[in-house]
Amino acid sequence: MAIIIDGKLTATKYNNALKDSINEMVQKGNRQPKLVVIQIGSNEASSLYIRNKKRACENVGILFEHKVFEESVSESNLLDEINKLNNDESVDGFLVQLPLPKNIDEDKIINAISPSKDADGFCPITLGNVVLNKSKIFPGTPKGIIRLLDEYKIDVTGKKVVVVGRSNIVGKPISIMLTNLSATVTVCHSKTVDLKSETCKADILIVAIGSAKFIKEDFVKDGAIIIDVGTNKVDGKFCGDVDFESVKEKVSAITPVPGGVGPMTVNSLLENVFTLYKEKVGN
Amino acid sequence: MAIIIDGKLTATKYNNALKDSINEMVQKGNRQPKLVVIQIGSNEASSLYIRNKKRACENVGILFEHKVFEESVSESNLLDEINKLNNDESVDGFLVQLPLPKNIDEDKIINAISPSKDADGFCPITLGNVVLNKSKIFPGTPKGIIRLLDEYKIDVTGKKVVVVGRSNIVGKPISIMLTNLSATVTVCHSKTVDLKSETCKADILIVAIGSAKFIKEDFVKDGAIIIDVGTNKVDGKFCGDVDFESVKEKVSAITPVPGGVGPMTVNSLLENVFTLYKEKVGN
């Protein structure tokens, strides 16, 4: 039976450590860190995610402000708000909850966020610095995956990693970050000709495609480590992109869904905010 | 016998097309495009590269200015100069010839270049936009490789590409760009455990490690396509990272050194300048 890589427990551990660090900074006379989340419209999933972020912030001592705009808000009003937040010294980081309504140009909005306030780590300049191995902040899910691997003492140096999925927020950044950490990384996607032959060679298989239970036993190598980024709802229950029951006897370690990568993504957001905060208030 | 992928011929073809496009713009009453190259000190190789860039610019009708600073120039003087160029409307692109003397912080210098003047495509924001598949300019060598493949009608979709080397200017960006073009890409490097087993699976093998004739016949698959980015000098003669004589009977196509990727890199620089120019003067 595989080791279950417990993201919930790991996130709690690091959230608690972060809480202590923040508390220490405040004891020294510094202000609390602050995150602002901008929501446009009232997408139900977005509202749920934002509530989770709010709870997580409050739990560790990060001030949280939720700014809601009507779906009909103009792009220029939104850009004005972003500009204000870029220049507001009491705000350490902010993010615009995606997806955006169709009348708003997502690129324009993300590009307007100052890299010194980029809580999500989605800005081009942040990503570029990730490529150059010089960033202090990172997209949340990749950062969370690397922390999980680290927590379970899984050294990636020289390991064969296969990433399935090439999204801008998971697949591409995690492949770059693991290359920088000296893994040998292959990125697969919908156009990969023989996916199974690729995934079967992976020491570490990372799956982020958003397709319920897509990866079965015959896609994995004996003893592989599986990181399942998917969160899909099937018959009212959450499941990952990996068929957990099918692969669990074959692999050496696996993240469950829920309770695997998900909680780590939120922890990464908090860590990014704290990193941006320290850049401002000093150590 | 393999097809020899002729970078010199291809670069000449695209340089000529660019010359026509520039000429057309000038006929319409627009000014000529302009590139500025900053050199610090008198590194011999740098001086040679700059002479090549100058000749290439003049050949296609791009104005060229070479600014030379003493090795002892201060970082702040250099940053002032960059700031001036960022704001000089007569300059479409500029670059700082690397490597820099040790007293100058390369990151600081590169970060100061406005993305709207980034002729080399090395700025973090440019690289980030390359990751996001939204950039109009690209690092020269990766851009040149993709144009070469395209010129020889080598469709990369679904192809298994292995990149050997993970540099910021070749290995990492080409792997991202080819992932965006739907190849299945693996990046190998000095920490890869079984390099040969990786390279032997490549439909397209790209080598950029700076080690003369490192890749021999037993590293390549029958019929593979080889892109050799290396430029090494052995016994007074240039050679690549691939042992051309050893692999040429086994592969289906290969770039020679010299005359392969090298001329394409210079063409990419000119194309970047023209792209930045068009952003400024309009079409």
Side-chain angles (χ1 to χ4, degrees), chain A residues 254-273:
Chain A
I254 181 167
T255 59
V257 176
V261 173
M264 296 304 296
T265 299
V266 179
N267 169 255
S268 301
L269 171 66
L270 307 178
E271 300 275 356
N272 277 343
V273 174

Side-chain angles (χ1 to χ4, degrees), chain A residues 48-111:
Chain A
L48 172 68
Y49 292 141
I50 293 171
R51 278 200 301 278
N52 286 342
K53 288 170 188 175
K54 181 172 191 274
R55 195 180 318 122
C57 278
E58 289 172 348
N59 174 43
V60 301
I62 294 176
L63 299 173
F64 185 91
E65 190 178 339
H66 183 189
K67 297 201 171 199
V68 186
F69 291 84
E70 298 285 332
E71 187 126 5
S72 59
V73 66
S74 73
E75 209 172 81
S76 73
N77 276 1
L78 215 48
L79 290 170
D80 283 347
E81 180 62 34
I82 288 174
N83 197 32
K84 233 172 20 191
L85 290 169
N86 281 338
N87 293 300
D88 183 340
E89 287 191 10
S90 73
V91 175
D92 298 295
F94 65 97
L95 63 90
V96 181
Q97 187 71 41
L98 304 178
L100 296 182
K102 286 199 181 108
N103 56 310
I104 311 256
D105 181 344
E106 192 174 298
D107 289 344
K108 227 186 215 167
I109 299 299
I110 302 292
N111 282 331

Side-chain angles (χ1 to χ4, degrees), chain A residues 107 124 127-129 131-132 134 158 160 166 168 172 179-180 182-187 189 191-193 198, chain B residues 107 124 127-129 131-132 134 158 160 166 168 172 176 179-180 182-187 189 191-193 198:
Chain A
D107 289 344
L127 274 181
N129 279 319
V131 175
L132 297 169
K134 277 166 191 159
K160 196 159 164 51
R166 54 174 161 168
N168 290 334
K172 283 187 270 182
T179 296
N180 285 337
S182 296
T184 300
V185 183
T186 303
V187 181
H189 44 73
K191 293 289 193 292
T192 294
V193 174
E198 299 291 341
Chain B
D107 288 345
L127 273 181
N129 279 320
V131 175
L132 298 169
K134 279 166 189 158
K160 196 159 165 52
R166 54 173 161 169
N168 290 335
K172 283 188 271 182
I176 295 161
T179 296
N180 285 338
S182 295
T184 300
V185 183
T186 302
V187 181
H189 43 73
K191 294 288 193 293
T192 294
V193 173
E198 299 291 341

Side-chain angles (χ1 to χ4, degrees), chain B residues 74-144:
Chain B
S74 73
E75 209 171 81
S76 72
N77 277 1
L78 215 47
L79 289 171
D80 283 347
E81 180 62 33
I82 288 174
N83 197 33
K84 238 178 8 197
L85 291 170
N86 282 338
N87 293 299
D88 184 341
E89 288 190 13
S90 75
V91 174
D92 298 296
F94 65 97
L95 63 91
V96 181
Q97 186 70 42
L98 304 179
L100 297 180
K102 286 198 183 108
N103 56 311
I104 311 256
D105 182 344
E106 192 174 299
D107 288 345
K108 228 185 213 166
I109 299 300
I110 302 293
N111 282 331
I113 300 173
S114 161
S116 67
K117 301 277 175 112
D118 183 19
D120 259 342
F122 292 169
C123 285
I125 195 165
T126 304
L127 273 181
N129 279 320
V130 168
V131 175
L132 298 169
N133 206 10
K134 279 166 189 158
S135 192
K136 291 181 178 176
I137 53 170
F138 300 90
T141 301
K143 182 183 162 97

